[in-house]
Amino acid sequence: MASSLGTLIEWYDFYIFGSLAVVLATKFFPADNPTAAFLSTLATFAAGFVVRPFGALFFGRLGDIIGRKYTFLVTLLIMGFSTFLIGCVPSFETIGYAAPVLVLILRLLQGLALGGEYGGAATYVAEYSQPHRRGYWTSWIQTTATAGLFISLIVILVTKTSLTPEEFDGWGWRIPFWISILMVGVSYVIRRNMKESPLFAKAKKEGKTSTNPLKESFGNKLNFKFVLLALFGAVMGQGVIWYTGQFYAMSFMQKVMNLESAQVDSMMALALFLGTPLFILFGWLSDKVGRKPIMMIGMLIAIIAYRPIYKTMYNSVNIEEKVLGPKGLVEKRTAIAHEKIAGDSLISFHTEKTFTDGTLLKRDSIVHWAATGPVITNGKAEAPLVKESITVNPDTRWLLIFLVFVQVVFVTMVYGPIAAFLVEMFPIRIRYTSMSLPYHIGNGIFGGLLPAVATYLVTSGKDAGHPEWYLQGLWYPIIVAAVCLVIGTLYLKTKNKSLEEDQH
């Protein structure tokens, strides 16, 4: 529980940024191009993932030399203070381009801290576990990533409902970042009193720890082969499935389907809550039937099911196929003075459409109007800024919750057993370093880049006029998971291993 609580808080800190990506795009980046601002926010989000392998190397080395306990105590503090400070950074309007630079630096510190946290927690718990229950006990660590995302959504939802939209947009979005400092304080007190892993303490007492874990992990051909096999045969596919089922599902509903963000948060939170116990189930099952079969089957089903699932999600709120209800159209036009250009106006066209099935569409189209008429840019009238949100009826809401839950099932199958699987691949003297690097490359690079890459593919498909443009983002996780499935099926061993020195 002590290990899991700290890891859960680190994931909360890390994911609060992704959960608020739509809002942060308007705060830390120029507001004149919303799509570019959102993509920049996703790129900043991804930057935290890209540096995770460097954190794995740095803290993994410390963990194999000094100890598991002290290393993941340091990572907890770095993560907590970085998250708190993101909530303190002034907006782009206040300090200009210094805002995104500061946020990027703090985001990189978050990534470095997380790179050291997970390997320490997973190794620590595995080295405490009974051999025949290692999958079960380490699966509790696996729940923390989803639970951290779940709690981040709940905190955002509570904050949004406690404040007016104007208050949340003005300063309320900072509250979830500030709250993390309280969580970190509690976790630090608990972790400070933990004892070192008994297997590592014994190895250190006997002088069997490594003096150069990096050289032994990656300079040794046999061990480096296992590092590559762990990455390309298991973690790479697990990473993209994790981020597709949780982050991309959320981004898809918000940005592609244009669903109202609070409703998306509530649907995601419920699906994650229902799916989280399955991490424990598949971790326990991996002790009985092996880690490999469960992970490979999860990847295979996900590859086959993703396109039908997302097509059903998109079509469930396709406005073109719905019938407008009686008196279902409300239109309003307002004009306000431009804040920065004297004599200019911003004209807003507000439209609400209520359909016969209870679906509600709200659209705001804002046009910049100069004193002489429409603003002309490059010989054309400036395009209006359009904001659209859809609130779905209860039946559609439950359908979407179910479809996200199905994706969470795939996540639990590939992610539940993987901590035990990775720990069992490497000897104790270099375990922290050797397992952390493939894990954080698979999740940090392949998984962390997924929201940005998938969003880019969707945008490109839409601009190119592709009939199923909304499904183009799925090619990235499908191809990566398929490559991983082939390598894992051919080369991974099915039988679970011991934690003795001679794993290889």
Side-chain angles (χ1 to χ4, degrees):
M1 286 301 294
S3 297
S4 297
L5 179 63
T7 309
L8 184 152
I9 290 166
E10 289 227 21
W11 284 116
Y12 165 85
D13 287 351
F14 199 67
Y15 287 134
I16 204 80
F17 192 98
S19 301
L20 286 170
V22 176
V23 179
L24 297 181
T26 66
K27 302 301 173 189
F28 297 132
F29 295 93
D32 52 0
N33 189 334
T35 303
F38 182 66
L39 284 171
S40 299
T41 306
L42 288 181
T44 306
F45 180 57
F49 292 85
V50 172
V51 298
R52 276 168 57 178
F54 297 100
L57 292 174
F58 180 76
F59 290 110
R61 178 179 176 276
L62 291 180
D64 280 328
I65 294 174
I66 299 171
R68 285 55 166 130
K69 171 192 168 180
Y70 294 104
T71 304
F72 67 28
L73 200 59
V74 171
T75 60
L76 180 73
L77 294 175
I78 293 173
M79 175 68 87
F81 283 109
S82 300
T83 306
F84 176 78
L85 290 173
I86 288 176
C88 300
V89 174
S91 67
F92 182 87
E93 285 190 357
T94 307
I95 60 172
Y97 282 97
V101 170
L102 287 171
V103 170
L104 178 61
I105 291 169
L106 292 168
R107 185 70 187 153
L108 293 174
L109 285 173
Q110 282 189 321
L112 289 171
L114 192 62
E117 164 66 25
Y118 175 83
T123 303
Y124 186 86
V125 172
E127 290 176 352
Y128 255 111
S129 304
Q130 307 98 316
H132 63 285
R133 301 193 76 196
R134 193 172 298 118
Y136 170 74
W137 287 118
T138 55
S139 66
W140 285 94
I141 293 289
Q142 305 307 90
T143 66
T144 59
T146 298
L149 176 55
F150 170 75
I151 291 173
S152 78
L153 293 173
I154 292 296
V155 170
I156 292 167
L157 207 57
V158 171
T159 307
K160 278 182 178 176
T161 52
S162 303
L163 302 171
T164 65
E166 292 75 21
E167 288 173 333
F168 183 82
D169 188 64
W171 55 270
W173 59 270
R174 297 180 183 273
I175 293 174
F177 290 97
W178 293 339
I179 286 174
S180 71
I181 205 75
L182 302 174
M183 297 182 180
V184 168
V186 172
S187 185
Y188 173 77
V189 171
I190 294 172
R191 279 196 173 183
R192 192 181 59 188
N193 297 318
M194 292 165 67
K195 293 180 180 179
E196 184 53 86
S197 147
L199 287 181
F200 181 81
K202 180 173 179 285
K204 195 170 185 179
K205 187 177 180 181
E206 295 172 354
K208 292 182 179 180
T209 54
S210 175
T211 54
N212 193 338
L214 294 178
K215 185 178 179 181
E216 285 193 47
S217 293
F218 312 117
N220 179 300
K221 275 189 177 180
L222 180 62
N223 195 76
F224 188 57
K225 185 185 86 171
F226 277 85
V227 170
L228 294 177
L229 187 57
L231 171 59
F232 294 112
V235 191
M236 179 174 75
Q238 170 259 304
V240 295
I241 288 170
W242 204 99
Y243 289 99
T244 301
Q246 301 189 138
F247 265 106
Y248 185 61
M250 181 167 65
S251 174
F252 184 83
M253 286 193 286
Q254 287 180 338
K255 302 299 291 184
V256 178
M257 296 168 62
N258 292 322
L259 295 189
E260 197 268 323
S261 61
Q263 193 172 47
V264 171
D265 290 346
S266 66
M267 290 190 291
M268 287 297 304
L270 184 54
L272 294 174
F273 177 76
L274 294 172
T276 297
L278 297 177
F279 285 107
I280 312 297
L281 172 66
F282 288 117
W284 169 83
L285 191 61
S286 76
D287 286 326
K288 311 295 180 187
V289 302
R291 326 285 183 215
K292 174 183 170 178
I294 297 172
M295 294 190 296
M296 295 301 115
I297 291 169
M299 280 187 216
L300 177 62
I301 300 172
I303 291 165
I304 295 169
Y306 274 150
R307 284 178 68 87
I309 285 174
Y310 277 83
K311 190 169 186 175
T312 305
M313 287 172 68
Y314 183 79
N315 289 334
S316 69
V317 293
N318 192 347
I319 298 300
E320 294 174 5
E321 297 179 2
K322 298 186 184 297
V323 179
L324 196 64
K327 298 181 180 179
L329 179 62
V330 176
E331 294 180 306
K332 187 168 66 174
R333 175 177 168 175
T334 57
I336 59 171
H338 199 290
E339 290 181 357
K340 297 178 181 177
I341 305 175
D344 284 15
S345 302
L346 292 174
I347 300 175
S348 174
F349 299 90
H350 177 75
T351 305
E352 289 188 15
K353 293 182 179 180
T354 305
F355 297 91
T356 52
D357 68 348
T359 302
L360 172 64
L361 168 68
K362 292 181 181 179
R363 181 184 286 124
D364 286 294
S365 180
I366 302 172
V367 180
H368 180 190
W369 201 269
T372 55
V375 176
I376 306 298
T377 306
N378 297 326
K380 293 182 180 179
E382 193 175 279
L385 175 64
V386 179
K387 292 182 180 179
E388 186 174 285
S389 70
I390 297 170
T391 305
V392 297
N393 61 43
D395 289 344
T396 305
R397 181 173 175 270
W398 281 110
L399 172 65
L400 291 171
I401 290 169
F402 171 74
L403 292 172
V404 174
F405 169 77
V406 171
Q407 294 177 67
V408 176
V409 174
F410 306 153
V411 172
T412 59
M413 291 182 74
V414 296
Y415 197 58
I418 207 156
F421 167 78
L422 289 173
V423 166
E424 289 168 352
M425 285 190 81
F426 303 103
I428 190 169
R429 57 191 285 113
I430 53 171
R431 180 171 293 143
Y432 198 146
T433 305
S434 295
M435 75 159 284
S436 291
L437 185 67
Y439 176 83
H440 287 293
I441 291 178
N443 284 272
I445 307 295
F446 289 99
L449 291 176
L450 189 143
V453 173
T455 301
Y456 171 76
L457 292 173
V458 167
T459 305
S460 300
K462 190 174 184 179
D463 292 343
H466 195 286
E468 291 188 331
W469 57 271
Y470 52 90
L471 297 179
Q472 296 308 295
L474 294 171
W475 285 117
Y476 176 75
I478 287 173
I479 291 170
V480 172
V483 171
C484 188
L485 174 65
V486 172
I487 295 172
T489 303
L490 292 176
Y491 297 108
L492 290 184
K493 293 182 180 178
T494 302
K495 188 179 178 184
N496 298 345
K497 302 175 185 177
S498 74
L499 289 192
E500 300 305 317
E501 281 291 313
D502 61 346
Q503 271 93 336
H504 299 339

